[in-house]
Structure formats: structure tokens, C-alpha cells
Amino acid sequence: MRVRLRFGKAGKVRWTSHRDLARMWERALRRACLPVVYTGGFSPRPKLSFGLALPTGAESSCEYLDVELVEAEAGAMPGLLTPALPDGIDVLAAALLDGGAASLQQEVTSCTWELEVAGAIRAELEDAVASVLSQGSITVTRERKGHAVTDDIRPAILRLAVEGDAAVGPEVPGDTSDGGAVASGPGGAVAGSVVDGLSGTVLLRAELATQPRGLRPAELLAALAPGLEEVRLRRTHQWIEHDGARWEPIPLGATDAPRALERAS
């Protein structure tokens, strides 16, 4: 059977690479004594499948991992695995998958990001957001498989906002509804403004497509305005969209999760 896990990554552990994260999970599954299914051959490995890789240094409350097990009770897995993982990695929810469920790489169509940036004042960012949302195309040159390619990244910017006028603490809530100056883009994108608790930084929220060509948050900042510095990056949602409806692979609240989103920094 396949079990899908939703986990958070915050604090100092955010500086670990995707490969190091995979090793942490292999150790945690052994420590929790879960009956993991292994590959065959001379060097058996646990059957794990990660979702979209998180940039090194970024935090997240919506990372996903599919694990193949001989048997399992999904509701008990957050409590078994979180104590076996390093501080800052917390299993938030777990759910059994149908036999024919597609992989996360195939299913996820977009991600929501929170970006704390320095290098521009609020009014400048509001103007930059409005300018980006008003453009029909934004052409950039980026490297793919060692070759320079030219792409139009505008279709990948699904929503872009500078959040509304209230100072907040170091932790940024998953959703805000503060008002502010408004600019609209595809899908009802809204741009307002909020200054974060970190002095001199401004909080951006963006939903970026992952298919057919994904757009990285760093590439968005480069297109938005020159000189912007990424101070903190956090992925808050991964979305699956079909026929006008969208949902998360596992919504929060699916199971009880100890130490959920506790910061380790």
C-alpha cells in the first residue's frame, strides 16, 4: 500500500539539500520500525517518492512524500515519524492512496509562495506588481540542460500580490485578507501591501505554475525588479487542478500532527 505524508520544513534544517532530506527520511522510517517495501537487486532501497523539490534555504508547510508499506495505519504515522526526524521537520498529515493514484510530479500544477524581499520600498513593489500583471508576455533567457533557452514566463504567474498594511511577527500566516491597493491578473490575482516584522522587508505572495514549464521564485524576482534580495522564502501550498476545481494533495487537518510547524531556528 502507498501512504502519502505531508510534512513541514522550517528553521536550520531548511539548509539541508534534497538528497540529505531523503537520507533523513530513510533513517526515520527505520527508527519508527515501519514495514517499508524495498526495491530488489544488490542494493535494495526503500520505495520512496518525493514531490517537487524545495529550493535549499526555503521553508515549507506543504512538502509531500509517498511511501510504499507492507501495511500501515495512516492516522498513527505523524506521531511515529515526527520524533524520529530532525528538529524542524514535522509530519503534519498522512493518507492512504488508491492503487492507481498518479505521482506528485505529475499531479501538482502550481505552488503558492511567500517571499520576504529587500531592496525596494512598498510603493515601488506595488508598481512593479501592477506592471507585471498588466503584461501579456514576459520573455526571459534561462539555462536548461546546459543550453540557453528563451521562455515566456507570464503564463506561469497565476497570482501575485504585495500583502496589506499590518506588521506581523516572524511567522507569516498561511492566508491574509488585509486590504490595500489592488491590481488583478489571471485567476483573480490581487496586489495590496504589508510590511513584514523583519525590518525593511516586504512580503510578496505568488502562485506559480509548475506545468508545462515551472517558474522558480528567484526567476520571478529577477523579472519583477532589478536589485531585489530574497530574505526568506516559504512554500505554503501545492495545488492540483482539474476541470476548474483545485485541491491540495492532503489538506491540513487530515490527521493530528504533534509539533506542527514548530520553528527550530
Side-chain angles (χ1 to χ4, degrees):
M1 65 175 62
R2 286 168 64 204
V3 176
R4 179 161 291 170
L5 304 172
R6 176 172 177 163
F7 64 96
K9 186 180 182 184
K12 295 177 182 177
V13 76
R14 71 186 185 275
W15 296 109
T16 57
S17 68
H18 187 70
R19 181 173 295 182
D20 289 335
L21 182 68
R23 294 193 187 102
M24 291 175 188
W25 272 104
E26 290 181 13
R27 289 194 295 267
L29 291 163
R30 288 197 301 269
R31 290 169 182 164
C33 299
L34 292 173
V36 180
V37 176
Y38 281 76
T39 61
F42 292 104
S43 191
R45 302 298 299 269
K47 288 193 173 182
L48 309 179
S49 178
F50 286 88
L52 301 173
L54 187 69
T56 301
E59 296 183 324
S60 176
S61 58
C62 60
E63 297 309 289
Y64 293 96
L65 167 67
D66 292 348
V67 185
E68 192 165 334
L69 300 168
V70 176
E71 59 180 1
E73 182 181 344
M77 293 187 71
L80 290 172
L81 285 167
T82 296
L85 288 160
D87 287 344
I89 299 179
D90 299 292
V91 183
L92 307 176
L96 293 175
L97 293 178
D98 295 333
S103 70
L104 289 161
Q105 300 278 354
Q106 294 173 312
E107 283 197 310
V108 173
T109 55
S110 65
C111 296
T112 301
W113 300 88
E114 291 176 348
L115 304 91
E116 291 179 28
V117 299
I121 63 173
R122 163 184 163 182
E124 291 172 336
L125 280 179
E126 288 178 342
D127 291 343
V129 165
S131 175
V132 162
L133 294 178
S134 69
Q135 295 181 54
S137 66
I138 302 173
T139 303
V140 300
T141 300
R142 49 187 178 174
E143 188 172 306
R144 185 180 303 126
K145 296 182 179 180
H147 299 282
V149 295
T150 300
D151 290 325
D152 179 9
I153 64 170
R154 180 60 185 89
I157 305 173
L158 305 180
R159 291 174 176 82
L160 180 59
V162 185
E163 294 281 315
D165 241 348
V168 296
E171 285 289 337
V172 179
D175 285 298
T176 61
S177 56
D178 300 297
V182 175
S184 295
V190 176
S193 127
V194 90
V195 179
D196 188 75
L198 292 177
S199 177
T201 65
V202 179
L203 176 64
L204 292 172
R205 191 186 306 277
E207 184 180 342
L208 306 179
T210 61
Q211 300 179 19
R213 293 292 185 195
L215 178 62
R216 299 183 183 94
E219 293 171 332
L220 171 66
L221 290 185
L224 189 61
L228 288 181
E229 177 188 355
E230 179 188 289
V231 177
R232 180 183 294 164
L233 176 64
R234 187 182 184 202
R235 181 153 60 189
T236 60
H237 299 86
Q238 296 191 43
W239 300 105
I240 300 169
E241 185 166 354
H242 292 294
D243 300 325
R246 72 174 189 167
W247 60 92
E248 296 183 270
I250 306 178
L252 282 182
T255 60
D256 293 329
R259 296 197 298 142
L261 295 183
E262 174 184 312
R263 292 183 69 86
S265 57

